[in-house]
Amino acid sequence: MAKKKSGCRASSGLSPHRSEAEHIVEICRRLHQRFWLSSADGNVSIRLDDERILITPTGLHKGFIGWRDLALVDCKGEVLWGRPSSEKLMHLEIYRRLPLARAVVHPHPPHSIAWSVARPDWKELPIDALTELVLAVGRIPIAPYALPGTQQMGDVLFPDLESTRVMILARHGALAWGESLEEAYNGIERIEHASMILAAAHAMGGITCLPADEFARLRVLREKLGPRTL
Ligand SMILES: [Zn+2]
């Protein structure tokens, strides 16, 4: 059972945020059912207000957590309730730098990670291979490896995350932020789905690209659609 720290403002624990916590739990179950995280891996958070985030716990299997297992952290990283993920600094950095961010989802989906292992030379997935991806996310950068849970990890994410809401963390996982939990979850689905298609294409003979003029046309369409993950 999570314990409250003394001197914290979250005196009533998680009860006022039960519906948000249950939403996070539902997303975690979905991630686990799709095998996009294993055991205690991965983390999900939402920004409750300007000062606090609700985040998944450290050390627990995300497929089996309940809403009471979640943790509350303030914007400086001070724990208000529970035992937050060791990757909370990464989440806090995203909320600090991106005022529009309301939710962050970070699982470890196998195909997304596998591309960063197989192709360490790639700075992003070959987005010009898939029409849907250009339109839905714009691009999928691959951030260089950084030790999880460190400040260095927060630093490697930017400025890419200011121009796109999805990314692969090399040899580690995938990351998406959104103006809602659904948008962030959709971003992860886009990353892993594209990674699976590219893996299948690679196995079937190789990855090819759209004609340059068609790709340019799609980029213009994407600009018109705006920055959100679709
Ligand atoms: Zn991770």
Side-chain angles (χ1 to χ4, degrees):
M1 181 58 144
K3 281 188 179 172
K4 181 184 67 167
K5 277 199 165 185
S6 60
C8 295
R9 31 183 301 198
S11 56
S12 53
L14 296 178
S15 297
H17 314 295
R18 179 171 176 165
S19 67
E20 294 95 331
E22 286 179 335
H23 198 183
I24 288 179
V25 167
E26 183 201 329
I27 292 293
C28 286
R29 292 218 175 99
R30 235 187 277 176
L31 293 169
H32 174 244
Q33 280 162 6
R34 307 191 78 170
F35 207 50
W36 293 348
L37 44 80
S38 64
S39 186
D41 286 351
N43 28 79
V44 177
S45 71
I46 57 175
R47 192 205 302 255
L48 290 173
D49 50 41
D50 287 345
E51 295 187 22
R52 299 169 307 157
I53 68 166
L54 189 61
I55 189 167
T56 45
T58 186
L60 294 182
H61 194 304
K62 302 306 176 299
F64 305 117
I65 53 171
W67 69 271
R68 290 185 180 83
D69 293 320
L70 269 69
L72 268 177
V73 179
D74 76 9
C75 56
K76 296 188 182 75
E78 183 76 14
V79 179
L80 304 175
W81 186 269
R83 299 178 61 233
S85 162
S86 60
E87 291 181 294
K88 65 179 186 296
L89 289 179
M90 176 177 77
H91 292 247
L92 288 169
E93 194 64 6
I94 290 170
Y95 293 123
R96 191 176 74 77
R97 297 208 199 197
L98 304 167
L100 285 177
R102 306 303 301 181
V104 175
V105 177
H106 163 57
H108 295 181
H111 293 85
S112 310
I113 298 169
W115 277 117
S116 73
V117 174
R119 295 301 304 263
D121 55 314
W122 280 4
K123 300 282 183 275
E124 60 181 66
L125 288 188
I127 199 85
D128 51 353
L130 297 165
T131 307
E132 209 55 43
L133 268 193
V134 187
L135 295 176
V137 297
R139 57 189 281 265
I140 302 178
I142 302 175
Y145 177 78
L147 199 62
T150 61
Q151 180 62 44
Q152 186 202 8
M153 189 163 161
D155 293 342
V156 302
L157 309 180
F158 301 93
D160 270 329
L161 278 185
E162 285 159 3
S163 60
T164 180
R165 299 183 177 190
V166 294
M167 82 170 17
I168 292 172
L169 308 176
R171 302 179 189 275
H172 175 177
L175 179 67
W177 68 270
E179 293 173 48
S180 65
L181 198 46
E182 286 81 4
E183 185 189 1
Y185 175 82
N186 289 349
I188 297 298
E189 202 165 82
R190 291 284 183 196
I191 298 170
E192 182 64 358
H193 192 246
S195 296
M196 292 173 78
I197 294 171
L198 293 172
H202 179 70
M204 290 174 188
I207 296 167
T208 59
C209 298
L210 289 157
D213 57 341
E214 178 63 8
F215 181 60
R217 198 179 68 82
L218 291 168
R219 293 305 291 260
V220 172
L221 268 177
R222 170 69 193 172
E223 291 275 311
K224 286 183 185 157
L225 288 167
R228 288 190 193 192
T229 296
L230 306 177

